[in-house]
Amino acid sequence: GADPLLIFVAETTILLVFSGLLYKWILSGAARSPHLLMLVGIIFGILFRSLSSFLQRVLDPSEFLILQDRLFASFNTVDTSLLGITTVVVALVTVVIWRMLPVFDVLALGKNHATALGVDHHRMIMVTLGLVSVLIAVSTPLVGPVTFFGLLVANLAYLILPTSRHAVVLPVATLIAVI
């Protein structure tokens, strides 16, 4: 077969380009709505689930099992040769995110308050989405797509914590995700 590193780089690049185009399309228009971005994500999720269901009916069962193995997350079949590069990328992004935690607290106040406090709201939202895209792009080729896992983990962290400070919420959300 093909070199796993080459496949990993190709899949990561495709995911980053696609997410960049999606963000540009949705967030550069007049609406600039994160809610629209969420809605588009839900629609794409339903589309891919429907395509999977259609392929299940059309394909031979053994061929569909091979396809299903690629379409759904599997934490048991991670290519360990790719863990080194993934760890480096995740560590670098984590350092950048850690340094941005106070900015996230200001962004949570809303666009008007963040702008009044000197934060370029649109730029920081785009930087944050870019960092999240990098994290998703390096993890998806390893384990497969995990739909809405981040939303679930984030909401659980906000639910169990008495504070909304990102310096507390993000580490707890990370621990919940690991568990």
Side-chain angles (χ1 to χ4, degrees):
D3 180 25
L5 182 61
L6 182 63
I7 293 171
F8 174 78
V9 169
E11 289 178 354
T12 301
T13 303
I14 290 168
L15 286 167
L16 286 172
V17 168
F18 181 73
S19 67
L21 291 172
L22 186 64
Y23 294 152
K24 183 174 172 61
W25 172 57
I26 292 175
L27 298 176
S28 67
R32 285 188 175 179
S33 172
H35 297 98
L36 179 61
L37 182 63
M38 185 75 70
L39 179 62
V40 169
I42 291 169
I43 290 170
F44 276 131
I46 292 170
L47 171 70
F48 294 139
R49 206 169 302 120
S50 298
L51 284 174
S52 174
S53 177
F54 172 73
L55 289 174
Q56 184 177 11
R57 290 186 185 103
V58 174
L59 291 176
D60 177 52
S62 61
E63 291 174 354
F64 180 73
L65 285 175
I66 294 169
L67 177 65
Q68 187 178 25
D69 185 47
R70 292 292 294 157
L71 291 178
F72 295 102
S74 173
F75 294 96
N76 296 327
T77 58
V78 174
D79 186 350
T80 55
S81 68
L82 300 173
L83 288 178
I85 189 168
T86 305
T87 302
V88 169
V89 172
V90 169
L92 291 173
V93 172
T94 302
V95 168
V96 173
I97 288 174
W98 191 260
R99 300 180 116 226
M100 291 176 60
L101 290 177
V103 175
F104 294 155
D105 292 336
V106 174
L107 287 174
L109 297 173
K111 182 178 181 177
N112 292 336
H113 292 295
T115 303
L117 291 170
V119 173
D120 184 349
H121 185 268
H122 182 69
R123 181 179 164 281
M124 292 312 300
I125 294 292
M126 295 306 287
V127 166
T128 303
L129 287 173
L131 292 169
V132 169
S133 295
V134 169
L135 291 174
I136 292 170
V138 297
S139 63
T140 301
L142 283 179
V143 298
V146 183
T147 311
F148 297 110
F149 183 65
L151 289 175
L152 176 68
V153 167
N155 283 311
L156 282 173
Y158 281 118
L159 185 68
I160 64 173
L161 292 173
T163 182
S164 61
R165 288 186 53 237
H166 288 87
V168 176
V169 173
L170 285 177
V172 169
T174 303
L175 293 173
I176 292 171
V178 169
I179 292 169

